[in-house]
Amino acid sequence: MSSRDVVLARVRRALTDVPRAAGPEETAVPRDYLRAHGDRSAEDTARLLAENLADYRAVVHDTHAAGLPGLLAHLLGERGSRSVVVPPGLPPEWLADCDIEVVPDAPETTPDALDAIDSVVTGCAVAIAETGTIVLDAGPDQGRRRITLVPDHHICVVRVPEQVVASVPQALARLAPGHPLTWISGPSATSDIELDRVEGVHGPRTLEVVLMTP
Amino acid sequence: MSVTDLGMPAFPAAAARSTRDTRLRANLRHATHTIRDKRARAVGELGDWAQLRAAGRAVKDRTLRHLDHYLERLEEAVTAAGGQVHWAADAAEANRIVTRLVRATGEREVVKVKSMATQEIGLNEALAEAGISAYETDLAELIVQLGKDRPSHILVPAIHRNRAEIRDIFRSEMGDWGRPAPDGLSDRPAELAEAARLHLREKFLRAKVGISGANFMVAETGTLVVVESEGNGRMCLTLPETLISVVGIEKVVPTWQDLEVFLQLLPRSSTAERMNPYTSMWTGTTDGDGPQTFHLVLLDNGRTDTLADTVGRQALRCIRCSACLNVCPVYERAGGHAYGSAYPGPIGAILTPQLRGTASELDASLPYASSLCGACYEVCPVAIDIPEVLVHLRERVVEGGKVTRGGVKTVIRPAKGHAAERAAMRAAGFAFGRPGLLRAGQRLAARTRKLHPRRLPGPGRAWTDTRDLPPVPAESFRDWWQRTRGGEQGGGRQESGQ
Ligand code: SF4
């Protein structure tokens, strides 16, 4: 007998008290929890997102679409970044005002090469106001998971209001499980040393989120 | 250190030693109180916590009651998404499988995400025997590994170490494993974290094999979920060419939608955050993004034996949030090492003796490592009735009875040579020797009277067979004393009971 058969047989023997005929439905799951906590306008939801992002030490900026290239150039310049990696589907006009090296990510880009790059700019799939979370789903304007991990500075652009949801249940309903997903709530942090919070252990030490209205 | 812990002292002896360690007790007290206060605030933000908790409990119960069904769905989905699924009946088999998979890559080192399952089976030691170095990359796990130590808390495994000790460990040990600690390293947490960043980054960038556990596996989609803070998890899950995840079979949840329950319950209950900094979800492999080879090792190792016990089964609902540790008056004093397994605290006291059986003195003593105050049940996000299982296991230790071991139904005898009485009496002595603990236990016991049996379980049963156990008074004697005569005793801490 394979171990698969052994384990499954043990499971079945262990569950002789459970009625088999009814199937899993015999255990009811109450779903009377809330779909969102509070009833907010789109504007208030975006404000809550900004507040919760900031509470977890992300740096939050507001802009209109027309102001985005100027803002990104300013943020990268202010930090002294000399190079920025971008996913293949990032709208080229976003970086139109930057005069630093723009490195398009490609599967051949090694972790070592990424380690030498200062910043990364991406879009996102959805942002969750109640928790202050941005979710990346490896879509064309977000790229491979590693590009938002290895460089020390991540700027993420959220399209407001269409990419903002209130809650975790609303976010999951929008996401496709087949894609690799990365949920980010503030920059990398640890509390392992006497519970003192320290930002930036392995992931980017600085997370800037740009809330972009049309 | 082997997880089987041969020669580990039974809980009371180990606890007696750790409670004499005043520095350890101070660290623990500070840590558990800080986390538990923050947690109460984070939970308070959600008006539907009770409903989420009921849903979490029900989803897990549904899964456990039809575990074969969901494991088969999961296997199909993971395989369809490009992953390979392996089954391990016990720790030895899981270690053999992982060793074989690492060897097949030709690599001699792996990077690891913090994982309770791999600690439980002693994977690092098994790999070391096969000549493979396994690097722990979670900061706390790194501290534990470099210090040749054992974890003492589920969430913050190095909770028993203070910053000066951590600096000393980094200074003396880092060089043996890779990049040494920077010269003049101080004990500031930010500097220590930076030293870990530099030390580990060179390992992440060259790693070809990553090993992880998972917090959840979705049967419907084949998606695995890892929840973390530092980004070391993301490094291990995305940079290597091969990823091997060792996951207990109870970690499966039926549907994608079910994650909405657990991604709300877990972070708030665990780190007291609205959401932890990073959550990674992957489904098999993705072309050009992340590991191109993915192995899932499904681990039994006593879980099906636990499943066979209709009272104890609920322990498998655990999502390892560690909230029960932080509220437990016994854990606070004894520390995590006293429990002698990867799972400390109240959950360890019911999970370990079920996964391993109660044959050893340590495992037989664990169900007594509690004052039955009920705080662990109240705080548990999936409503595991830990006191109920503790009482049930005490009865098993003392009276023996029908159990399943290694998948085989068997009848165990009462604990030999009065080991249980010894365990119980020593545990009682441990509690009664510490007025603070007894006070906390009694006071909470008074509030949870409904939970208490009218007859003592375990070694007390013969005694109560012929006597009625006095009911737990509505107000404990000590509370009454404090209320009526409080403050008269010099040095007695004034606790308001009014
Ligand atoms: S038993 Fe409950 S409270 Fe304790 S770690 Fe598990 S889920 Fe958390």
Side-chain angles (χ1 to χ4, degrees):
Chain A
M1 248 203 326
S2 71
S3 293
R4 177 184 191 277
D5 297 339
V6 169
V7 175
L8 286 172
R10 284 180 184 174
V11 170
R12 290 180 185 122
R13 269 204 309 278
L15 293 173
T16 43
D17 62 306
V18 176
R20 307 307 286 168
E25 305 300 316
E26 57 99 27
T27 312
V29 175
R31 301 230 185 236
D32 53 352
Y33 51 87
L34 303 173
R35 306 307 301 166
H37 298 85
D39 194 9
R40 290 184 191 82
S41 66
E43 208 173 296
D44 287 347
T45 306
R47 194 170 308 131
L48 181 66
L49 172 66
E51 264 170 41
N52 284 339
L53 281 164
D55 197 30
Y56 282 178
R57 324 269 169 100
V59 184
V60 184
H61 310 274
D62 292 291
T63 189
H64 295 285
L68 184 68
L71 177 63
L72 291 179
H74 169 72
L75 295 177
L76 291 164
E78 178 184 63
R79 201 182 147 87
S81 290
R82 285 151 306 160
S83 54
V84 57
V85 58
V86 296
L90 196 84
E93 66 274 16
W94 285 9
L95 293 181
D97 291 358
C98 295
D99 57 359
I100 63 174
E101 186 194 358
V102 176
V103 184
D105 183 45
E108 309 79 66
T109 316
T110 62
D112 274 314
L114 284 173
D115 196 31
I117 295 175
D118 297 320
S119 300
V120 56
V121 176
T122 69
C124 78
V126 64
I128 308 168
E130 283 180 14
T131 57
T133 305
I134 52 172
V135 185
L136 310 182
D137 71 354
D141 63 351
Q142 298 145 61
R144 298 189 300 163
R145 284 169 281 176
R146 58 176 58 181
I147 66 170
T148 54
L149 173 62
V150 180
D152 205 18
H153 176 219
H154 178 195
I155 304 179
C156 177
V157 179
V158 181
R159 293 177 164 91
V160 179
E162 67 265 31
Q163 289 186 321
V164 183
V165 298
S167 65
V168 171
Q170 291 176 357
L172 279 161
R174 281 207 192 182
L175 293 164
H179 295 212
L181 301 176
T182 306
W183 297 43
I184 301 174
S185 312
S188 158
T190 184
S191 299
D192 281 346
I193 303 165
E194 295 185 18
L195 299 177
D196 268 0
R197 190 176 165 104
V198 177
E199 259 94 52
V201 193
H202 304 299
R205 276 181 275 212
T206 310
L207 171 68
E208 301 200 67
V209 180
V210 177
L211 303 177
M212 179 182 72
T213 43
Chain B
M1 168 98 42
S2 158
V3 281
T4 48
D5 285 310
L6 295 168
M8 266 305 283
F11 179 85
R17 203 163 355 102
S18 44
T19 48
R20 282 197 298 270
D21 184 339
T22 50
R23 193 212 63 239
L24 171 69
R25 286 189 55 181
N27 286 3
L28 273 177
R29 192 184 147 77
H30 167 68
T32 54
H33 283 250
T34 308
I35 305 178
R36 93 167 100 157
D37 295 347
K38 266 181 71 192
R39 178 191 176 277
R41 283 198 296 279
V43 166
E45 274 185 18
L46 298 190
D48 59 341
W49 187 258
Q51 287 85 344
L52 283 167
R53 186 178 185 240
R57 171 199 173 132
V59 169
K60 283 282 186 175
D61 276 347
R62 171 180 283 192
T63 315
L64 292 171
R65 289 170 69 86
H66 298 274
L67 192 57
D68 49 336
H69 170 81
Y70 289 116
L71 288 173
E72 286 178 326
R73 293 291 85 73
L74 175 75
E75 181 183 41
E76 266 170 49
V78 170
T79 309
Q84 296 170 46
V85 178
H86 312 260
W87 300 69
D90 57 25
E93 186 173 20
N95 289 333
R96 274 199 306 276
I97 293 170
V98 177
T99 306
R100 177 170 53 75
L101 293 172
V102 177
R103 281 215 169 115
T105 66
E107 294 296 314
R108 303 297 292 271
E109 51 180 50
V110 301
V111 287
K112 281 190 71 209
V113 190
K114 174 172 176 285
S115 133
M116 308 292 299
T118 59
Q119 249 172 52
E120 173 192 322
I121 62 174
L123 178 64
N124 292 5
E125 294 78 3
L127 288 174
E129 257 168 52
I132 297 163
S133 309
Y135 298 121
E136 292 292 349
T137 64
D138 172 77
L139 178 52
E141 292 285 357
L142 175 74
I143 295 165
V144 167
Q145 187 175 47
L146 291 177
K148 301 178 187 66
D149 194 0
R150 288 180 305 121
S152 67
H153 191 281
I154 292 177
L155 176 70
V156 266
I159 200 168
H160 57 288
R161 296 289 199 184
N162 61 33
R163 60 186 74 193
E165 293 176 291
I166 294 168
R167 179 204 51 208
D168 294 346
I169 291 169
F170 279 11
R171 275 185 182 167
S172 64
E173 304 297 327
M174 266 185 175
D176 291 348
W177 290 79
R179 183 175 173 143
D183 286 339
L185 179 67
S186 83
D187 65 359
R188 279 181 43 236
E191 256 185 63
L192 295 171
E194 177 69 16
R197 179 185 176 100
L198 294 171
H199 178 78
L200 287 171
R201 187 156 278 228
E202 59 165 34
K203 294 196 165 62
F204 290 134
L205 297 183
R206 68 164 190 248
K208 298 280 187 287
V209 183
I211 296 183
S212 82
N215 294 90
F216 307 102
M217 311 184 279
V218 182
E220 176 186 49
T221 61
T223 307
L224 269 75
V225 181
V226 162
V227 165
E228 52 132 0
S229 296
E230 296 172 9
N232 65 303
R234 293 180 64 194
M235 291 275 182
C236 298
L237 297 169
T238 57
L239 294 187
E241 289 159 8
T242 301
L243 171 62
I244 304 168
S245 299
V246 182
V247 189
I249 51 175
E250 82 284 14
K251 292 287 175 103
V252 65
V253 298
T255 66
W256 177 251
Q257 193 198 348
D258 292 329
L259 291 178
E260 72 189 17
V261 176
F262 297 106
L263 288 181
Q264 295 191 77
L265 289 175
L266 180 56
R268 288 182 199 258
S269 230
S270 176
T271 50
E273 293 165 304
R274 294 185 192 102
M275 187 63 82
N276 48 288
Y278 295 133
T279 298
S280 296
M281 301 185 189
W282 72 100
T283 307
T285 55
T286 304
D287 274 347
D289 183 355
Q292 296 301 294
T293 308
F294 170 53
H295 298 278
L296 171 60
V297 181
L298 292 171
L299 177 71
D300 178 348
N301 202 35
R303 285 159 177 77
T304 49
D305 294 343
T306 309
L307 191 67
D309 184 320
T310 51
V311 178
R313 176 183 297 166
Q314 57 185 306
L316 298 175
R317 295 205 293 258
C318 177
I319 56 174
R320 315 273 189 261
C321 72
S322 77
C324 59
L325 276 62
N326 300 326
V327 297
C328 177
V330 176
Y331 173 85
E332 186 188 318
R333 285 160 179 80
H337 290 155
Y339 295 79
S341 89
Y343 306 102
I347 182 60
I350 61 168
L351 193 58
T352 305
Q354 295 201 84
L355 293 178
R356 299 202 294 221
T358 49
S360 80
E361 202 188 338
L362 168 67
D363 293 336
S365 73
L366 286 175
Y368 296 94
S370 167
S371 60
L372 295 183
C373 75
C376 49
Y377 168 59
E378 277 169 42
V379 84
C380 177
V382 285
I384 300 172
D385 193 339
I386 295 176
E388 180 191 19
V389 183
L390 285 166
V391 170
H392 169 72
L393 292 176
R394 287 181 188 187
E395 207 165 306
R396 172 187 297 172
V397 168
V398 174
E399 303 199 330
K402 286 188 202 144
V403 297
T404 304
R405 295 309 313 155
V408 180
K409 290 204 167 84
T410 167
V411 176
I412 56 163
R413 293 212 212 119
K416 254 203 300 221
H418 305 288
E421 275 93 330
R422 277 212 311 277
M425 290 311 146
R426 285 212 258 150
F430 157 71
F432 297 145
R434 284 152 191 85
L437 175 56
L438 182 63
R439 187 169 53 231
Q442 278 186 344
R443 194 174 56 247
L444 284 153
R447 293 195 196 129
T448 56
R449 264 178 308 160
K450 282 195 288 298
L451 288 169
H452 293 276
R454 292 283 293 160
R455 294 196 316 169
L456 280 178
R461 170 162 282 192
W463 188 76
T464 49
D465 272 348
T466 53
R467 294 165 183 82
D468 264 347
L469 185 63
V472 179
E475 181 181 31
S476 74
F477 173 76
R478 276 169 187 275
D479 279 355
W480 172 84
W481 181 265
Q482 283 287 340
R483 185 164 59 81
T484 54
R485 311 280 295 276
E488 279 180 25
Q489 280 175 313
R493 198 153 51 91
Q494 177 80 45
E495 278 183 329
S496 142
Q498 338 232 337

